[in-house]
Amino acid sequence: MKLAVLAALFGSAAAFAPAQTGKTTTALNAFESELGAQPPLGFFDPLGLLDDADQERFDRLRYVEIKHGRIAQLAFLGNIITRAGVHLPGNIDYAGDSFDSFPNGWAAISGPDAIPGAGFAQIVAFIGALELGVMKDVTGEAEFVGDFRNGALDF
């Protein structure tokens, strides 16, 4: 019995001892000085998207990340606003269906009371037009990655 108590005592003390770890290094040191690389992780690329990448590829991926993050923020804000009961005034089509007659969230896209297919196609076409024509640096004078001021939309 004394031996079991003594073994439990040493086992519990070993749980609080510092773990022996080897020193790890990363092969990807090219982007360690970029904005967002912070201790303790440093530059974090778990999928290896930037293995053997140059600065141009890094800037492109950062640009896409910022743009998609802004789109996700706007989508979330739109979802919150419509769930709060704020809808556009008027009708969405010539049949007299008002904007607030359609459900919120995913039910507005899929389900028995969803927006008609032609309306959904118009939404997708509008987003495509924004992606291809508006949300990019068309003047070539961007001050930073993700600077979407293009002469028409200068906030």
Side-chain angles (χ1 to χ4, degrees):
M1 182 68 175
K2 291 180 184 179
L3 184 61
V5 170
L6 189 61
L9 181 64
F10 283 123
S12 64
F16 297 103
Q20 298 291 332
T21 59
K23 190 166 187 163
T24 59
T25 61
T26 176
L28 186 64
N29 291 327
F31 306 111
E32 287 292 328
S33 63
E34 292 291 336
L35 181 66
Q38 301 178 48
L41 297 177
F43 180 72
F44 188 63
D45 184 22
L47 299 179
L49 296 175
L50 292 172
D51 292 346
D52 301 326
D54 57 353
Q55 187 67 35
E56 183 179 346
R57 173 140 171 86
F58 177 81
D59 289 341
R60 170 70 181 148
L61 289 177
R62 177 156 286 179
Y63 170 85
V64 170
E65 178 186 12
I66 290 171
K67 181 164 53 169
H68 290 167
R70 290 176 180 172
I71 291 169
Q73 290 171 4
L74 289 173
F76 182 74
L77 183 63
N79 191 10
I80 288 175
I81 289 172
T82 56
R83 287 190 185 265
V86 178
H87 298 280
L88 294 173
N91 296 331
I92 196 168
D93 57 10
Y94 291 122
D97 296 324
S98 63
F99 283 98
D100 60 356
S101 67
F102 292 100
N104 299 323
W106 186 254
I109 297 171
S110 172
D113 297 329
I115 297 171
F120 184 69
Q122 288 175 9
I123 293 171
V124 171
F126 178 68
I127 292 170
L130 289 176
E131 178 81 17
L132 296 174
V134 177
M135 293 188 70
K136 61 183 183 177
D137 179 27
V138 294
T139 61
E141 300 172 0
E143 296 177 19
F144 51 88
V145 177
D147 183 6
F148 297 129
R149 293 177 290 175
N150 57 14
L153 296 174
D154 289 335
F155 295 101

